[in-house]
């Protein structure tokens, strides 16, 4: 029986916070990570932005209107929320906290503001601090990001230019994260992310004591 199946092991889940500037490949990396590690589940965020072609409500995001979003803030339903460009995004407590307590790993893909809010919360909450792992994904250069944004072709030129300016400010905050993945290929990015998850699970502070 592996350690993960053993009922006596009370492993708490990892709260994997993955941030990157828009267009850096975070969505692809998350999908691949989820496909490679069945213990990790995705926290599905709420957003007020319009659905892009191919996106599904309840799978990619919960697409909600601004009034509903405000109501959820008032009821304290978000772990963190932020305005990104002109839209609002938020991580639901219900997507994260219960799963961590059940020992399941949860992946949150949020912008740098979201990651900073979660880190601030973790400074107040030791339980969250024990679960938190922060990773920043970025291409080597801004021109590489520009190329990826153009390739994605889901944004208007004005929107892409705005995202690029924002990306520069976001990349400047890479030092706030525990891990930095300079994106090379999808396969290599996934390998590194899995290596981070593996190593974090083996931290002595998270492991059950060996039997003596
Ligand atoms: P997009 O509109 O391209 O899907 O996402 C725009 C940005 O918002 C991305 O950096 C994405 O990671 C971020 N984002 C998505 N969900 C959340 C969330 O729940 N909270 C925060 N703070 N950012 C989010």
């Amino acid at each position: 029986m592996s350690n993960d199946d053993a009922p006596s092991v009370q492993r708490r889940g990892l709260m994997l916070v993955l941030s990157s500037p828009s267009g850096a490949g975070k969505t692809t990396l998350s999908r691949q990570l989820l496909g490679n590690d069945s213990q990790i589940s995705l926290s599905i965020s709420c957003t007020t932005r319009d659905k892009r072609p191919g996106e599904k409500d309840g799978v990619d995001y919960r697409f909600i209107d601004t009034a509903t979003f405000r109501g959820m803030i008032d009821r304290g339903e978000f772990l963190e929320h932020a305005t990104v460009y002109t839209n609002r995004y938020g991580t639901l407590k219900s997507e994260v906290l219960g799963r961590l307590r059940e020992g399941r790993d949860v992946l949150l893909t949020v912008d740098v503001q979201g990651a900073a809010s979660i880190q601030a919360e973790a400074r107040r909450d030791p339980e969250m601090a024990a679960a938190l792992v922060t990773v920043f994904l970025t291409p080597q250069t801004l021109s590489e990001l520009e190329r990826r944004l153009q390739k994605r072709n889901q944004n208007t030129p004005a929107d892409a230019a705005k995202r690029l300016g924002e990306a520069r400010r976001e990349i400047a905050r890479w030092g706030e994260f525990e891990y930095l993945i300079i994106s090379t290929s999808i396969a290599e990015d996934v390998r590194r992310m899995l290596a981070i998850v593996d190593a974090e699970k083996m931290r002595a502070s998270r492991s059950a004591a060996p039997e003596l």
Side-chain angles (χ1 to χ4, degrees):
M1 189 185 267
S2 78
N3 252 3
D4 290 325
D5 300 328
S8 58
V9 176
Q10 289 292 307
R11 189 178 87 75
R12 307 251 326 169
L14 296 178
M15 184 178 185
L16 299 161
V17 172
L18 175 63
S19 278
S20 77
S22 182
K26 186 174 39 191
T27 309
T28 311
L29 176 56
S30 343
R31 284 203 192 116
Q32 297 263 340
L33 182 68
L34 296 167
N36 272 277
D37 187 334
S38 60
Q39 285 193 22
I40 306 174
S41 66
L42 182 69
S43 160
I44 297 169
S45 295
C46 293
T47 183
T48 61
R49 84 150 159 76
D50 293 337
K51 213 188 287 176
R52 294 192 187 120
E55 284 184 331
K56 287 198 186 74
D57 186 38
V59 176
D60 299 285
Y61 284 104
R62 291 177 215 283
F63 294 95
I64 59 176
D65 61 29
T66 306
T68 308
F69 197 96
R70 284 204 198 106
M72 292 165 88
I73 294 176
D74 292 344
R75 290 191 297 277
E77 292 180 30
F78 290 118
L79 194 60
E80 63 75 36
H81 58 88
T83 301
V84 184
Y85 314 109
T86 51
N87 300 304
R88 310 196 77 167
Y89 295 81
T91 306
L92 287 168
K93 289 178 184 166
S94 60
E95 286 284 304
V96 179
L97 302 180
R99 292 188 212 166
L100 292 179
R101 288 192 191 118
E102 288 164 13
R104 293 162 66 197
D105 305 320
V106 189
L107 175 67
L108 287 74
T109 59
V110 298
D111 79 322
V112 288
Q113 304 170 74
S117 302
I118 292 166
Q119 283 167 321
E121 189 61 34
R123 283 192 282 276
R124 292 185 287 268
D125 178 350
E127 211 177 308
M128 197 179 285
L132 185 60
V133 179
T134 59
V135 183
F136 191 70
L137 170 76
T138 181
Q140 180 77 57
T141 63
L142 209 59
S143 54
E144 167 67 13
L145 189 67
E146 191 171 11
R147 196 185 58 77
R148 289 193 193 193
L149 278 173
Q150 280 165 356
K151 197 168 129 202
R152 185 155 86 176
N153 207 19
Q154 282 169 332
N155 310 295
T156 63
D159 189 32
K162 203 162 116 193
R163 280 173 187 251
L164 205 62
E166 191 57 40
R168 187 190 296 275
R169 287 186 286 278
E170 289 181 327
I171 295 170
R173 295 178 65 176
W174 65 271
E176 295 174 26
F177 293 79
E178 293 166 291
Y179 292 96
L180 175 65
I181 298 180
I182 305 272
S183 179
T184 50
S185 65
I186 293 169
E188 179 58 14
D189 294 353
V190 174
R191 190 195 67 73
R192 292 186 198 169
M193 194 68 196
L194 288 167
I196 292 168
V197 173
D198 262 358
E200 286 292 334
K201 282 185 184 170
M202 285 185 282
R203 273 190 190 276
S205 58
R206 293 199 177 103
S207 304
E211 283 177 30
L212 296 171

